[in-house]
Amino acid sequence: MLEVTNLMVFYENMLAINNVTLTAKKGSIVGVFGSNSAGKSTLMYSISGIILDIKKKEAMKGGERITVFGKVIFDSKDITNLLPHERAKMGIVLCPERRRIFPESSVLENLKIGAYLDKRNEKKNLEYVLNIFPRLKDHLNRQGGFLSGGEQQMLAIGRALMASPSVLLLDEPLLGLSPYYQKIVVDSIKDIKATKNITVIVAEQYARPIIPVIDYGYIIENGSSVLEGTSESLLNNPDVKSAYFGV
Amino acid sequence: MQIFIYGLINSISLSLVALGFTLVYSISRIPNFAHGALYVATGYFAWILMNLFHFNYFISAILSVFLSCFIGAMIYRLVLIKIRGMEISEVIATYAIGLAIIEGLRWGGLRGATYTLPVIVPGSIEIFGVIVDYQRLFAVFVGLVIFLFFYIFIKFTKTGLALKGIAQDERAAMMLGIDSDKMAIVSFILGSAIAGISALIIFPLGNIVVEAGYNVLVFSIAVSIIGGLGSWLGAVIASFIIGYAQILTEVFLSTHYQMVIALLAIIITLLIRPSGLFGKQKELEERV
Ligand SMILES: Nc1ncnc2c1ncn2[C@@H]1O[C@H](COP(=O)(O)OP(=O)(O)O)[C@@H](O)[C@H]1O
Ligand SMILES: [Mg+2]
């Protein structure tokens, strides 16, 4: 189980995350919805530890001061101060916004780099990734930078899966994707939960395609969690309908 | 013909030396200004081990390269880890450490033309009417072996792939569990090993002199900047440009101008194409 309790993140004096508490049960899919600049990525960075790297680099450059309050707890261990690679080792792997594929490496090499933490199951994981994303099979030797947006997103999720995560964080996996690829990605999220029992936390601006597959969801506005509930309760909430489905 | 062959040999040894610098930069984004110092230090260690401790050549060579790797790793682990990301401090710190090593060696007695390392393969051969000593061919051979080793290492080993990930997108690599500091240390060890090995095969062609440290540094920087910082292919191509330019200067002007040419090449590159021949990533960033 992953828990975020009373998280606050400041970029200098700007409060990007305001007292957010979130729980993701083992093997569930949790959605985090909010418009642009609501704080979704900041939340994902706080769970994966990347925020500490951003903070350190800013401090080194003499840039903005970033402060984090609150706790991130994973399987009853406080991981708030662990570095991103340490959290990844524990099983928390982030598939970041805008995918961040290794552009000069081939598709296969991207996946192999993803297997850094789990060489033992590299073959098995590769098989699984190519099974849920068969299109990648045709492009194994293509350079990552030359793939289309949809293909890059499949590769980014596949690369994260190669690390055998127990919690997979997806930051805006549908961003800029055609409905065809959106469906592939949403289906893959279902499959990841069903066959691998991986906890998935997915942050999205466009809730409509994701809401049906989540077990529980949070809506954030300006850094605060304003509403939470199961898939049905969010679907039936009139405020959510008008704000996030454009109904 | 002479220019062609000597240019080729010179370019390959140069790319070997510059590979170490480029490797460290592409992974840690730290320009290691102590690179040349490690080069001289390894040559001098080997000399000390052979002449004062009477070890045989191979043991001395291996020990001195290990020592170079150890110093490289310590430079990162003790100093750079604390200031990484502060670009000016990185340059000042590595340059200061390099100066301290080089001037320390000079103060410790490394002066004059008395220090030489033995030639590993004596004799010479005539290639297309040009006399080439075996040691130069050996340098080329070792250079090619090291390139091959790196190609295989980077492409097929877990650590090699992790280095490639870090070089392309440090943060994305972290998300996959790769420890950036650990990889930076690996890069310093590899870079120092390359500096050390090149010293052991290039010094026997002349004397061990501290000035070589400055030369190696300037030429490594020239090659990296012309090739595009952090680009391996760019570094190899730039080595050929500088390598031939060096030989041509030697033939038509005088050896003294080699450094001037290298520095001019840096300035011209920075003026015309600041990101270098193959600095495409950086160029993209500049545009965005
Ligand atoms: N590195 C940063 N420095 C300063 N402000 C930032 C930084 N990153 C994000 N922000 C600000 O924090 C808020 C939340 O951003 P973000 O977490 O990226 O939101 P989202 O992912 O939901 O679009 C925004 O107002 C954004 O401008
Ligand atoms: Mg975002």
Short mmCIF file of all heavy atoms in Angstrom, two decimals, chain A residues 37-83:
data_model
loop_
_atom_site.label_atom_id
_atom_site.label_comp_id
_atom_site.label_asym_id
_atom_site.label_seq_id
_atom_site.Cartn_x
_atom_site.Cartn_y
_atom_site.Cartn_z
N SER A 37 -1.62 22.42 -14.80
CA SER A 37 -0.99 23.09 -13.66
C SER A 37 -1.75 22.97 -12.34
O SER A 37 -1.61 23.78 -11.45
CB SER A 37 -0.63 24.55 -13.98
OG SER A 37 -1.73 25.39 -13.81
N ALA A 38 -2.56 21.92 -12.23
CA ALA A 38 -3.25 21.66 -10.97
C ALA A 38 -2.30 21.13 -9.92
O ALA A 38 -2.55 21.25 -8.72
CB ALA A 38 -4.37 20.65 -11.19
N GLY A 39 -1.19 20.50 -10.36
CA GLY A 39 -0.23 19.95 -9.41
C GLY A 39 -0.02 18.45 -9.57
O GLY A 39 0.63 17.82 -8.74
N LYS A 40 -0.54 17.88 -10.66
CA LYS A 40 -0.44 16.43 -10.86
C LYS A 40 1.01 15.96 -10.94
O LYS A 40 1.42 15.02 -10.27
CB LYS A 40 -1.18 16.01 -12.15
CG LYS A 40 -2.65 16.39 -12.17
CD LYS A 40 -3.31 15.95 -13.45
CE LYS A 40 -2.76 16.58 -14.71
NZ LYS A 40 -2.94 18.03 -14.84
N SER A 41 1.80 16.64 -11.78
CA SER A 41 3.19 16.21 -11.95
C SER A 41 3.98 16.38 -10.66
O SER A 41 4.79 15.52 -10.29
CB SER A 41 3.87 16.99 -13.07
OG SER A 41 3.22 16.72 -14.28
N THR A 42 3.72 17.47 -9.96
CA THR A 42 4.41 17.69 -8.69
C THR A 42 4.11 16.55 -7.72
O THR A 42 4.99 16.05 -7.02
CB THR A 42 3.97 19.04 -8.08
OG1 THR A 42 4.21 20.07 -9.04
CG2 THR A 42 4.73 19.34 -6.81
N LEU A 43 2.85 16.10 -7.72
CA LEU A 43 2.47 14.98 -6.86
C LEU A 43 3.21 13.71 -7.29
O LEU A 43 3.76 12.98 -6.45
CB LEU A 43 0.95 14.78 -6.95
CG LEU A 43 0.38 13.59 -6.18
CD1 LEU A 43 0.64 13.73 -4.69
CD2 LEU A 43 -1.13 13.45 -6.43
N MET A 44 3.26 13.46 -8.58
CA MET A 44 3.96 12.27 -9.08
C MET A 44 5.45 12.33 -8.73
O MET A 44 6.05 11.33 -8.36
CB MET A 44 3.80 12.16 -10.60
CG MET A 44 2.38 11.90 -11.04
SD MET A 44 1.68 10.47 -10.23
CE MET A 44 1.05 9.56 -11.57
N TYR A 45 6.04 13.52 -8.89
CA TYR A 45 7.46 13.69 -8.55
C TYR A 45 7.69 13.47 -7.06
O TYR A 45 8.75 12.99 -6.65
CB TYR A 45 7.96 15.08 -8.94
CG TYR A 45 8.08 15.30 -10.43
CD1 TYR A 45 7.91 16.57 -10.99
CD2 TYR A 45 8.39 14.24 -11.29
CE1 TYR A 45 8.02 16.78 -12.35
CE2 TYR A 45 8.49 14.45 -12.65
CZ TYR A 45 8.31 15.72 -13.18
OH TYR A 45 8.42 15.92 -14.52
N SER A 46 6.70 13.85 -6.25
CA SER A 46 6.87 13.67 -4.81
C SER A 46 6.80 12.20 -4.44
O SER A 46 7.48 11.75 -3.53
CB SER A 46 5.79 14.44 -4.04
OG SER A 46 5.79 15.79 -4.44
N ILE A 47 5.94 11.44 -5.14
CA ILE A 47 5.82 10.01 -4.83
C ILE A 47 7.07 9.27 -5.30
O ILE A 47 7.57 8.38 -4.63
CB ILE A 47 4.55 9.41 -5.47
CG1 ILE A 47 3.30 10.12 -4.92
CG2 ILE A 47 4.47 7.91 -5.20
CD1 ILE A 47 2.00 9.67 -5.58
N SER A 48 7.60 9.66 -6.47
CA SER A 48 8.74 8.92 -7.02
C SER A 48 10.08 9.43 -6.50
O SER A 48 11.11 8.80 -6.71
CB SER A 48 8.74 9.00 -8.53
OG SER A 48 9.03 10.32 -8.93
N GLY A 49 10.07 10.60 -5.84
CA GLY A 49 11.32 11.12 -5.30
C GLY A 49 12.05 12.08 -6.23
O GLY A 49 13.03 12.71 -5.83
N ILE A 50 11.55 12.21 -7.46
CA ILE A 50 12.20 13.11 -8.41
C ILE A 50 12.23 14.54 -7.86
O ILE A 50 13.13 15.31 -8.14
CB ILE A 50 11.47 13.06 -9.78
CG1 ILE A 50 11.69 11.70 -10.44
CG2 ILE A 50 11.94 14.18 -10.71
CD1 ILE A 50 13.10 11.41 -10.86
N ILE A 51 11.25 14.87 -7.04
CA ILE A 51 11.20 16.22 -6.47
C ILE A 51 12.50 16.53 -5.72
O ILE A 51 12.98 17.68 -5.74
CB ILE A 51 9.96 16.40 -5.56
CG1 ILE A 51 9.69 17.88 -5.25
CG2 ILE A 51 10.11 15.67 -4.23
CD1 ILE A 51 9.04 18.63 -6.36
N LEU A 52 13.09 15.50 -5.08
CA LEU A 52 14.33 15.73 -4.34
C LEU A 52 15.48 16.07 -5.30
O LEU A 52 16.35 16.88 -4.98
CB LEU A 52 14.70 14.50 -3.51
CG LEU A 52 13.68 14.09 -2.44
CD1 LEU A 52 14.16 12.86 -1.70
CD2 LEU A 52 13.45 15.24 -1.47
N ASP A 53 15.46 15.43 -6.47
CA ASP A 53 16.49 15.74 -7.46
C ASP A 53 16.29 17.14 -8.03
O ASP A 53 17.25 17.90 -8.20
CB ASP A 53 16.44 14.69 -8.58
CG ASP A 53 17.57 14.89 -9.59
OD1 ASP A 53 18.73 14.85 -9.15
OD2 ASP A 53 17.30 15.13 -10.78
N ILE A 54 15.03 17.50 -8.29
CA ILE A 54 14.74 18.85 -8.78
C ILE A 54 15.20 19.87 -7.75
O ILE A 54 15.86 20.86 -8.06
CB ILE A 54 13.23 19.02 -9.07
CG1 ILE A 54 12.76 18.01 -10.13
CG2 ILE A 54 12.92 20.44 -9.49
CD1 ILE A 54 11.27 18.04 -10.40
N LYS A 55 14.88 19.58 -6.50
CA LYS A 55 15.23 20.47 -5.40
C LYS A 55 16.76 20.66 -5.31
O LYS A 55 17.27 21.77 -5.20
CB LYS A 55 14.70 19.85 -4.10
CG LYS A 55 15.01 20.62 -2.86
CD LYS A 55 14.40 19.93 -1.65
CE LYS A 55 15.00 20.52 -0.39
NZ LYS A 55 14.16 20.33 0.78
N LYS A 56 17.47 19.53 -5.39
CA LYS A 56 18.93 19.59 -5.26
C LYS A 56 19.54 20.38 -6.42
O LYS A 56 20.41 21.23 -6.23
CB LYS A 56 19.48 18.17 -5.26
CG LYS A 56 20.97 18.10 -5.04
CD LYS A 56 21.47 16.67 -4.96
CE LYS A 56 22.82 16.57 -5.64
NZ LYS A 56 23.11 15.22 -6.12
N LYS A 57 19.06 20.11 -7.64
CA LYS A 57 19.64 20.80 -8.80
C LYS A 57 19.35 22.29 -8.74
O LYS A 57 20.20 23.11 -9.10
CB LYS A 57 19.08 20.18 -10.08
CG LYS A 57 19.53 18.73 -10.25
CD LYS A 57 19.97 18.41 -11.67
CE LYS A 57 20.82 17.16 -11.69
NZ LYS A 57 20.04 15.92 -11.61
N GLU A 58 18.12 22.64 -8.31
CA GLU A 58 17.79 24.07 -8.18
C GLU A 58 18.70 24.73 -7.15
O GLU A 58 19.19 25.83 -7.36
CB GLU A 58 16.33 24.25 -7.79
CG GLU A 58 15.34 24.03 -8.92
CD GLU A 58 15.46 25.08 -10.01
OE1 GLU A 58 15.84 26.22 -9.72
OE2 GLU A 58 15.16 24.75 -11.18
N ALA A 59 18.91 24.03 -6.04
CA ALA A 59 19.76 24.60 -4.99
C ALA A 59 21.18 24.80 -5.51
O ALA A 59 21.83 25.82 -5.23
CB ALA A 59 19.76 23.69 -3.77
N MET A 60 21.69 23.82 -6.27
CA MET A 60 23.04 23.91 -6.81
C MET A 60 23.18 25.07 -7.78
O MET A 60 24.20 25.75 -7.84
CB MET A 60 23.40 22.61 -7.53
CG MET A 60 23.75 21.49 -6.59
SD MET A 60 25.20 21.94 -5.62
CE MET A 60 25.44 20.46 -4.67
N LYS A 61 22.12 25.26 -8.57
CA LYS A 61 22.16 26.34 -9.56
C LYS A 61 21.94 27.69 -8.91
O LYS A 61 22.08 28.73 -9.56
CB LYS A 61 21.03 26.13 -10.59
CG LYS A 61 21.41 25.32 -11.79
CD LYS A 61 20.44 25.55 -12.95
CE LYS A 61 19.01 25.62 -12.53
NZ LYS A 61 18.03 25.20 -13.53
N GLY A 62 21.53 27.67 -7.64
CA GLY A 62 21.17 28.93 -7.00
C GLY A 62 19.81 29.40 -7.48
O GLY A 62 19.49 30.58 -7.46
N GLY A 63 18.99 28.46 -7.92
CA GLY A 63 17.65 28.79 -8.42
C GLY A 63 16.64 28.84 -7.30
O GLY A 63 16.96 29.20 -6.17
N GLU A 64 15.40 28.43 -7.60
CA GLU A 64 14.33 28.58 -6.60
C GLU A 64 14.48 27.57 -5.47
O GLU A 64 15.07 26.51 -5.62
CB GLU A 64 12.99 28.42 -7.29
CG GLU A 64 12.87 27.06 -7.94
CD GLU A 64 11.70 26.98 -8.91
OE1 GLU A 64 10.97 27.96 -9.05
OE2 GLU A 64 11.54 25.93 -9.51
N ARG A 65 13.90 27.93 -4.34
CA ARG A 65 13.93 27.07 -3.18
C ARG A 65 12.68 26.20 -3.20
O ARG A 65 11.57 26.69 -3.33
CB ARG A 65 13.95 27.94 -1.91
CG ARG A 65 14.42 27.27 -0.65
CD ARG A 65 14.86 28.36 0.35
NE ARG A 65 14.06 29.58 0.18
CZ ARG A 65 12.92 29.82 0.81
NH1 ARG A 65 12.42 28.95 1.64
NH2 ARG A 65 12.25 30.94 0.61
N ILE A 66 12.86 24.90 -3.09
CA ILE A 66 11.72 23.99 -3.10
C ILE A 66 11.62 23.32 -1.74
O ILE A 66 12.62 22.83 -1.22
CB ILE A 66 11.89 22.94 -4.21
CG1 ILE A 66 11.93 23.62 -5.57
CG2 ILE A 66 10.77 21.90 -4.15
CD1 ILE A 66 12.24 22.73 -6.73
N THR A 67 10.43 23.36 -1.14
CA THR A 67 10.27 22.74 0.18
C THR A 67 9.13 21.73 0.14
O THR A 67 8.11 21.96 -0.50
CB THR A 67 9.99 23.78 1.28
OG1 THR A 67 9.56 24.98 0.65
CG2 THR A 67 11.23 24.07 2.07
N VAL A 68 9.37 20.62 0.81
CA VAL A 68 8.38 19.55 0.83
C VAL A 68 8.03 19.23 2.29
O VAL A 68 8.93 19.01 3.10
CB VAL A 68 8.94 18.27 0.16
CG1 VAL A 68 7.90 17.16 0.16
CG2 VAL A 68 9.41 18.57 -1.26
N PHE A 69 6.74 19.21 2.60
CA PHE A 69 6.29 18.77 3.93
C PHE A 69 5.36 17.59 3.75
O PHE A 69 4.80 17.40 2.68
CB PHE A 69 5.53 19.90 4.64
CG PHE A 69 6.34 21.13 4.85
CD1 PHE A 69 6.22 22.22 3.99
CD2 PHE A 69 7.24 21.21 5.91
CE1 PHE A 69 6.97 23.36 4.18
CE2 PHE A 69 7.99 22.35 6.09
CZ PHE A 69 7.86 23.44 5.23
N GLY A 70 5.19 16.83 4.82
CA GLY A 70 4.30 15.68 4.74
C GLY A 70 5.09 14.40 4.53
O GLY A 70 6.33 14.41 4.58
N LYS A 71 4.39 13.31 4.33
CA LYS A 71 5.06 12.02 4.26
C LYS A 71 4.60 11.21 3.07
O LYS A 71 3.45 11.29 2.64
CB LYS A 71 4.73 11.22 5.53
CG LYS A 71 5.58 11.59 6.74
CD LYS A 71 5.44 10.51 7.80
CE LYS A 71 6.52 10.60 8.85
NZ LYS A 71 6.44 11.75 9.74
N VAL A 72 5.54 10.39 2.59
CA VAL A 72 5.17 9.37 1.62
C VAL A 72 5.53 8.04 2.27
O VAL A 72 6.67 7.84 2.70
CB VAL A 72 5.95 9.54 0.30
CG1 VAL A 72 5.51 8.49 -0.71
CG2 VAL A 72 5.75 10.93 -0.28
N ILE A 73 4.53 7.17 2.38
CA ILE A 73 4.75 5.90 3.09
C ILE A 73 4.44 4.75 2.15
O ILE A 73 3.40 4.75 1.47
CB ILE A 73 3.87 5.83 4.35
CG1 ILE A 73 4.34 6.91 5.34
CG2 ILE A 73 3.94 4.45 5.01
CD1 ILE A 73 3.33 7.25 6.38
N PHE A 74 5.36 3.81 2.07
CA PHE A 74 5.17 2.68 1.17
C PHE A 74 5.38 1.39 1.96
O PHE A 74 6.43 1.20 2.57
CB PHE A 74 6.17 2.77 0.01
CG PHE A 74 6.09 1.63 -0.94
CD1 PHE A 74 4.87 1.27 -1.51
CD2 PHE A 74 7.22 0.90 -1.28
CE1 PHE A 74 4.79 0.21 -2.39
CE2 PHE A 74 7.14 -0.16 -2.16
CZ PHE A 74 5.92 -0.51 -2.72
N ASP A 75 4.37 0.54 1.98
CA ASP A 75 4.40 -0.70 2.76
C ASP A 75 4.87 -0.42 4.19
O ASP A 75 5.80 -1.06 4.69
CB ASP A 75 5.31 -1.74 2.09
CG ASP A 75 4.64 -2.31 0.84
OD1 ASP A 75 3.41 -2.14 0.70
OD2 ASP A 75 5.34 -2.91 0.01
N SER A 76 4.28 0.53 4.81
CA SER A 76 4.55 1.02 6.17
C SER A 76 5.96 1.54 6.41
O SER A 76 6.37 1.72 7.54
CB SER A 76 4.20 0.00 7.26
OG SER A 76 3.79 -1.20 6.75
N LYS A 77 6.71 1.78 5.32
CA LYS A 77 8.02 2.40 5.52
C LYS A 77 7.95 3.86 5.06
O LYS A 77 7.36 4.16 4.03
CB LYS A 77 9.09 1.66 4.69
CG LYS A 77 9.56 0.38 5.36
CD LYS A 77 10.70 -0.27 4.61
CE LYS A 77 10.29 -1.01 3.36
NZ LYS A 77 9.67 -2.32 3.52
N ASP A 78 8.53 4.73 5.87
CA ASP A 78 8.56 6.15 5.50
C ASP A 78 9.65 6.34 4.43
O ASP A 78 10.83 6.14 4.70
CB ASP A 78 8.89 6.98 6.74
CG ASP A 78 8.83 8.47 6.44
OD1 ASP A 78 8.76 8.83 5.24
OD2 ASP A 78 8.85 9.27 7.39
N ILE A 79 9.25 6.71 3.22
CA ILE A 79 10.25 6.84 2.13
C ILE A 79 10.41 8.29 1.71
O ILE A 79 11.02 8.59 0.69
CB ILE A 79 9.85 5.98 0.91
CG1 ILE A 79 8.49 6.42 0.36
CG2 ILE A 79 9.83 4.50 1.26
CD1 ILE A 79 8.20 5.85 -1.02
N THR A 80 9.89 9.21 2.54
CA THR A 80 9.89 10.62 2.16
C THR A 80 11.27 11.14 1.77
O THR A 80 11.40 12.00 0.92
CB THR A 80 9.35 11.48 3.32
OG1 THR A 80 8.24 10.81 3.89
CG2 THR A 80 8.93 12.85 2.84
N ASN A 81 12.30 10.61 2.44
CA ASN A 81 13.64 11.15 2.16
C ASN A 81 14.50 10.25 1.27
O ASN A 81 15.68 10.50 1.08
CB ASN A 81 14.37 11.42 3.47
CG ASN A 81 13.66 12.49 4.27
OD1 ASN A 81 13.25 13.51 3.71
ND2 ASN A 81 13.46 12.25 5.55
N LEU A 82 13.90 9.23 0.71
CA LEU A 82 14.68 8.35 -0.18
C LEU A 82 14.81 8.97 -1.57
O LEU A 82 13.90 9.65 -2.06
CB LEU A 82 14.03 6.97 -0.30
CG LEU A 82 14.02 6.10 0.96
CD1 LEU A 82 13.52 4.70 0.62
CD2 LEU A 82 15.41 6.02 1.56
N LEU A 83 15.95 8.70 -2.19
CA LEU A 83 16.20 9.24 -3.53
C LEU A 83 15.42 8.43 -4.57
O LEU A 83 15.02 7.29 -4.32
CB LEU A 83 17.70 9.17 -3.82
CG LEU A 83 18.55 10.05 -2.91
CD1 LEU A 83 20.03 9.81 -3.13
CD2 LEU A 83 18.21 11.52 -3.16
#
